[in-house]
Amino acid sequence: VKAVRDAIAGEKEVQTGKIHTAHSTYAGTVFHDSPERVAQAKEISKAGRDSAEGQALIKKYGFSSKYAATAVITRYNLGDTVEMQFFAVSFGDIAFATAPFEQFDTNGQEVRAASPFPVTFTLSITNDHNGYVPSALAFPHGGYEVGQTKFVEGSGEEFAREQIRLLNECKAAA
């Protein structure tokens, strides 16, 4: 919003014109836990993750939270890939690149820096919600988003490259 406001205020000259779009269906590779970890998560689920027995199993198996056990089961049931829709829209010097998940800012910055447009917005959770997609920098540190993600390490950067490709396609059409 600030970039558009600054452009309108004359701090940056922005040309608007014909609308160009690009679209792709992209398959993201799902992260799968070890069979042992899946069995532990299923045991927690069977006991009831909110029950005293479930809470004891969460501690016993070293899950960070009851949600981490649920994430293991969710990933297990997804299969090897998840298909997602990516879009880019441009008009003149302004562009939007969408992501059907919650994109880490590191990857959003990568998209904006590589965009062929002077004003580029990255939009998360657009047309679908596939959870968090942490940047590769986040994986060694763990945390909630890394524990909950459906996708393998490096997916954030791979998806950013797809957004950049779509932005370049819009630029080529202009």
Side-chain angles (χ1 to χ4, degrees):
V1 173
K2 182 180 182 320
V4 171
R5 186 175 56 227
D6 291 348
I8 291 169
E11 293 180 27
K12 184 183 282 186
E13 187 173 329
V14 175
Q15 302 296 317
T16 60
K18 186 176 178 184
I19 296 174
H20 299 281
T21 62
H23 166 264
S24 68
T25 301
Y26 198 86
T29 305
V30 176
F31 167 72
H32 288 288
D33 300 88
S34 70
E36 178 185 20
R37 196 70 167 162
V38 172
Q40 292 169 348
K42 286 181 176 181
E43 187 178 349
I44 291 166
S45 179
K46 185 176 180 183
R49 67 182 192 183
D50 291 319
S51 71
E53 181 185 357
Q55 290 294 309
L57 289 170
I58 288 167
K59 285 184 181 182
K60 175 182 175 182
Y61 295 134
F63 281 88
S64 59
S65 70
K66 64 183 181 182
Y67 303 109
T70 302
V72 168
I73 294 169
T74 300
R75 288 190 295 262
Y76 172 77
N77 291 322
L78 283 175
D80 292 332
T81 60
V82 174
E83 285 194 357
M84 298 174 291
Q85 304 295 311
F86 285 84
F87 296 89
V89 178
S90 70
F91 49 98
D93 289 344
I94 301 172
F96 297 87
T98 71
F101 47 78
E102 193 159 338
Q103 185 171 37
F104 268 42
D105 189 51
T106 319
N107 298 125
Q109 289 175 16
E110 180 183 349
V111 172
R112 290 187 295 276
S115 174
F117 297 93
V119 179
T120 301
F121 297 92
T122 53
L123 307 173
S124 290
I125 316 173
T126 307
N127 299 324
D128 203 351
H129 188 279
N130 287 288
Y132 297 103
V133 179
S135 68
L137 296 171
F139 274 84
H141 303 288
Y144 180 79
E145 294 88 352
V146 171
Q148 297 297 311
T149 189
K150 300 174 185 175
F151 301 101
V152 297
E153 185 174 348
S155 292
E157 290 70 20
E158 186 176 335
F159 298 154
R161 285 190 294 275
E162 182 64 8
Q163 291 173 292
I164 294 164
R165 187 188 70 73
L166 293 174
L167 288 166
N168 285 321
E169 190 176 314
C170 284
K171 187 66 172 182

